[in-house]
Amino acid sequence: MAALSWPLAHNTIRRQVKNNAFGNVRNGGTRPHQGWDLYAPLFTPCYAIADGKIEWARPRGDLGNLVLLRFEHGRQIYWAAYAHLGVIFPAEGALIARNEPIALTGTTGNAASMSGDDLHLHFEIRTMPFPGNGLGGRVDPALLYGYAPIGSTIVQTRGESRTASGVKGLLVPGVNVLEGP
Ligand SMILES: [Zn+2]
């Protein structure tokens, strides 16, 4: 089973608080957040976390410009959702390779007022393409990645830098460096 890549080059939960990770983490534990908010300055490149197919690549409600990438992992089918995007690269139906750039982050949908340290990619792992509100039809991304990067930054190298680093899971103070493809 191929490892998943992380969606950004530098992956860390916005403001390092669990309210911006997955679960019933908002309004004192009464309101759900369906994914991770990964801090990202405006127009940060987003990458395919796995080989898969683009099943949605246009605006959708509060999520703004949304990409849904359908992929298989551990014999399960999932959809990675990338939301509030500024620019989307692939067309719907495109077949995408892991680590291919697919979008630039933005402030579309209900992220329009975000700025500074709140700029982010909203990232979900779904078990169906279009679940409703609440947490149903999603899983905690930490289930697939092992943990949420709160208080740490996961640096995902890709392509040529894989050879340069040649290491897997190297722990650098404050930063985890994972190998590329
Ligand atoms: Zn969010």
Side-chain angles (χ1 to χ4, degrees):
M1 176 169 64
L4 294 180
S5 289
W6 290 68
L8 303 177
H10 295 84
N11 301 269
T12 194
I13 297 289
R14 174 164 70 95
R15 291 188 181 269
Q16 312 298 332
V17 292
K18 71 174 171 60
N19 313 51
N20 293 327
F22 177 90
N24 282 308
V25 293
R26 293 187 166 165
N27 284 13
T30 61
R31 196 162 76 83
H33 184 235
Q34 292 87 351
W36 283 349
D37 286 353
L38 295 171
Y39 168 71
L42 204 56
F43 302 133
T44 295
C46 305
Y47 300 90
I49 63 168
D51 296 348
K53 183 178 180 183
I54 301 295
E55 291 203 340
W56 184 273
R58 52 193 152 117
R60 190 173 170 88
D62 285 348
L63 293 178
N65 292 331
L66 173 70
V67 164
L68 287 182
L69 173 70
R70 181 188 191 275
F71 66 99
E72 188 177 340
H73 184 71
R75 308 183 70 90
Q76 300 278 338
I77 301 296
Y78 297 101
W79 287 260
Y82 301 72
H84 308 318
L85 299 170
V87 180
I88 294 174
F89 299 148
E92 289 175 7
L95 296 177
I96 297 292
R98 183 165 70 102
N99 290 324
E100 229 178 281
I102 54 174
L104 303 177
T105 59
T107 54
T108 55
N110 65 2
S113 65
M114 295 285 179
S115 65
D117 290 345
D118 287 313
L119 292 169
H120 67 278
L121 168 70
H122 175 88
F123 175 74
E124 300 180 13
I125 300 289
R126 298 178 170 183
T127 55
M128 59 180 71
F130 300 110
N133 296 327
L135 298 177
R138 287 97 170 172
V139 296
D140 187 343
L143 198 71
L144 276 63
Y145 286 103
Y147 53 93
I150 300 176
S152 63
T153 298
I154 302 297
V155 179
Q156 175 75 64
T157 62
R158 294 169 220 271
E160 292 172 10
S161 43
R162 167 195 51 175
T163 326
S165 71
V167 290
K168 185 173 186 174
L170 172 66
L171 195 61
V172 176
V175 175
N176 262 331
V177 179
L178 303 184
E179 72 168 2

